[in-house]
Amino acid sequence: MPSTKSSAENSGTTAEQYDGFTAEERAAMKEHAQEQKKAAARRSSSRAEKEAAAEQDVLAKIAEMPEADRILAERIHEVIKAAAPDLAPKLWYGMPAYARDGKVVCHFQSAEKFKSRYATLGFSDQAALDDGAMWPTAYALKELTAADEQRISALVKKAVS
């Protein structure tokens, strides 16, 4: 007769049992669903109106962040807009993101988002940052100096090249 035990029970361990998504991951998925609904509601708007509304959504999300993350996100937003004005700000899983032709190139993740000790600036596979067989796709941020802003600007310019 076949066993009715799960693979975790058969292996004798329950430590590897899948407990599902974390509360933060579920919240991010809900935010993404809301973002998709907003985008669908804006379909009859002009492109300029959609882009302006999307940027206002990003700025509103940044304004909601705790002070340390908000300061970083505001500067990152300014640096990205200056370095690559053709990237369109949009929300992506509740995070400020910057897209080209609707595809996210980079995004800012606040430390609070997943209860991390630092914020991150991440780049997607749409970013042209390839450097051999291995390269970074996310950068930890605790504060920004002028040199950091220059480095981010250069990364963003390379990402969209």
Side-chain angles (χ1 to χ4, degrees):
M1 187 152 125
S3 172
T4 58
K5 290 184 177 182
S6 71
S7 60
E9 291 170 326
N10 284 333
S11 69
T13 179
T14 57
E16 295 176 24
Q17 220 171 14
Y18 178 68
D19 290 331
F21 296 105
T22 66
E24 293 82 10
E25 290 168 330
R26 284 191 300 277
M29 288 185 285
K30 286 179 183 177
E31 285 182 297
H32 184 63
Q34 290 171 343
E35 293 158 13
Q36 299 294 17
K37 288 178 185 176
K38 271 187 174 180
R42 292 179 181 150
R43 286 204 173 107
S44 63
S45 302
S46 72
R47 182 180 178 134
E49 290 171 331
K50 287 179 199 174
E51 288 176 0
E55 183 160 11
Q56 285 306 310
D57 291 345
V58 166
L59 294 173
K61 181 57 74 172
I62 290 171
E64 294 173 3
M65 293 178 184
E67 184 179 9
D69 287 339
R70 182 178 40 77
I71 291 167
L72 287 172
E74 288 171 347
R75 289 300 306 139
I76 292 292
H77 181 77
E78 291 171 13
V79 168
I80 291 172
K81 293 283 290 173
D86 58 320
L87 288 181
K90 67 183 266 180
L91 288 178
W92 183 64
Y93 292 94
M95 296 177 282
Y98 304 86
R100 180 176 43 206
D101 300 326
K103 296 183 180 183
V104 171
V105 174
C106 59
H107 70 280
F108 175 82
Q109 180 179 301
S110 72
E112 180 192 48
K113 183 77 174 170
F114 294 106
K115 297 182 171 97
S116 178
R117 66 183 181 94
Y118 50 80
T120 58
L121 174 63
F123 291 88
S124 75
D125 62 336
Q126 299 297 311
L129 295 177
D130 302 37
D131 185 18
M134 186 173 109
W135 59 91
T137 59
Y139 295 83
L141 304 168
K142 299 267 304 171
E143 61 183 50
L144 288 177
T145 65
D148 297 330
E149 290 179 13
Q150 288 177 342
R151 183 172 179 203
I152 290 167
S153 178
L155 281 168
V156 170
K157 286 176 183 177
K158 182 177 180 186
V160 297
S161 65

